[in-house]
Amino acid sequence: MILLLRDRATDEQLEQMLQQHKFYIKTAVDIERRVLAGGGDLHADCEEKLLDDGSRQQDIWAASFMPVTGKITYESMVNLRPRQNRSMELLDPNIRERVAQIIMEFLENL
C-alpha cells in the first residue's frame, strides 16, 4: 500500500508501508513540497503517487528506508536523469541530505 505523507507516519501507517517488502520501505520524496510517498512494490509507484498529487518530476528523488536499522539506500531507476543525475544512485550530497531529512522526520523512531 502506498501512502502519501505530509507529517510523521503513525505506527499503523508504517506497518501498511512495510506490507510489500517486510523489512524496508520504498519511498519517493518531493524535496521542495516536503511530501513523502512510501510503500508499494517499486519506487516508480511512489513517484507516480507524488506526480498525481502535483509534484514536479525534477523535485522527486527515490530511496529505500529500513526502519529497524535506520539505514537509507539511494539507488533507484527514478534517480536516473541525464540532466540532473547520471546514475541510479543519487549522487548529489545536498539532495541526499534533503531526502534523508524528510525520510527521518516522517519515518524514523516509530
Side-chain angles (χ1 to χ4, degrees), residues 30-48:
D30 181 328
I31 60 173
E32 294 302 323
R33 295 174 58 222
R34 296 188 51 79
V35 179
L36 180 145
D41 191 34
L42 303 170
H43 291 111
D45 298 332
C46 296
E47 175 190 40
E48 183 178 347

Side-chain angles (χ1 to χ4, degrees), residues 14 18 21-27 63-75 103-104 107-109:
L14 184 64
L18 282 166
H21 294 288
K22 307 294 182 225
F23 301 109
Y24 67 95
I25 300 168
K26 300 264 183 154
T27 69
S64 296
F65 176 66
M66 289 160 252
V68 173
T69 63
K71 182 177 179 178
I72 300 172
T73 56
Y74 300 91
E75 194 167 309
I103 288 173
M104 298 310 251
L107 301 179
E108 187 184 44
N109 294 329

Side-chain angles (χ1 to χ4, degrees), residues 8-11 13-14 17 65 67 105-110:
R8 182 175 294 279
T10 64
D11 289 340
Q13 288 172 321
L14 184 64
M17 289 184 282
F65 176 66
E105 179 182 329
F106 289 9
L107 301 179
E108 187 184 44
N109 294 329
L110 297 173

